[in-house]
Amino acid sequence: MSVSYLGLDDLPGYLYEQHGITGAIGTPLTRGTVAVYHRGAEKRRRDGAPRPGDFPPPDRKYGRSPVWLPETIDQWVENRPGRGAGGGRPPKQT
C-alpha cells in the first residue's frame, strides 16, 4: 500500500496556513505573531483556561502544519478584542 502525503504546496486554495492568514485579514500581523497567538491559545486550551478572543483551533492539519478555513479566521477577526482590551497600566493619579 502506498501512502501519499500532501505538502503545503498542495493545500486547497480555500485553507489558510499561518503565513496565509497574515495577508488575508487585512491587519499587519506577521507570520511570527500568528504563530505566537496559535501556540498561546493551544497551551491555554490544553490547560483548560481558554480566553475570549483566543486564536481559533485549526480546522485541519496537513502533517504538522495547522490550517484554517476562511470562515474560521473571519469569525476570529470579527470577535477579537480591540486595541487596549487588556487594560494595561492604570494612568498616573496626580
Side-chain angles (χ1 to χ4, degrees), residues 36-75:
V36 167
Y37 285 177
H38 172 61
R39 279 195 308 268
E42 287 287 305
K43 182 180 183 324
R44 286 188 290 279
R45 279 192 282 276
R46 276 194 312 272
D47 294 345
R51 289 192 265 181
D54 262 350
F55 202 74
D59 292 306
R60 200 167 172 186
K61 285 196 173 189
Y62 280 91
R64 292 176 34 197
S65 300
V67 293
W68 293 265
L69 293 168
E71 298 83 32
T72 303
I73 299 303
D74 291 343
Q75 184 179 14

Side-chain angles (χ1 to χ4, degrees), residues 1-93:
M1 175 156 103
S2 157
V3 177
S4 170
Y5 293 96
L6 289 175
L8 289 177
D9 294 333
D10 301 320
L11 281 177
Y14 59 86
L15 292 173
Y16 292 143
E17 320 169 52
Q18 288 181 352
H19 74 270
I21 291 170
T22 62
I25 65 174
T27 321
L29 294 178
T30 66
R31 181 180 180 182
T33 301
V34 172
V36 167
Y37 285 177
H38 172 61
R39 279 195 308 268
E42 287 287 305
K43 182 180 183 324
R44 286 188 290 279
R45 279 192 282 276
R46 276 194 312 272
D47 294 345
R51 289 192 265 181
D54 262 350
F55 202 74
D59 292 306
R60 200 167 172 186
K61 285 196 173 189
Y62 280 91
R64 292 176 34 197
S65 300
V67 293
W68 293 265
L69 293 168
E71 298 83 32
T72 303
I73 299 303
D74 291 343
Q75 184 179 14
W76 172 71
V77 169
E78 289 172 14
N79 295 316
R80 68 188 282 226
R83 183 178 180 150
R89 176 187 281 184
K92 271 189 170 179
Q93 300 294 323

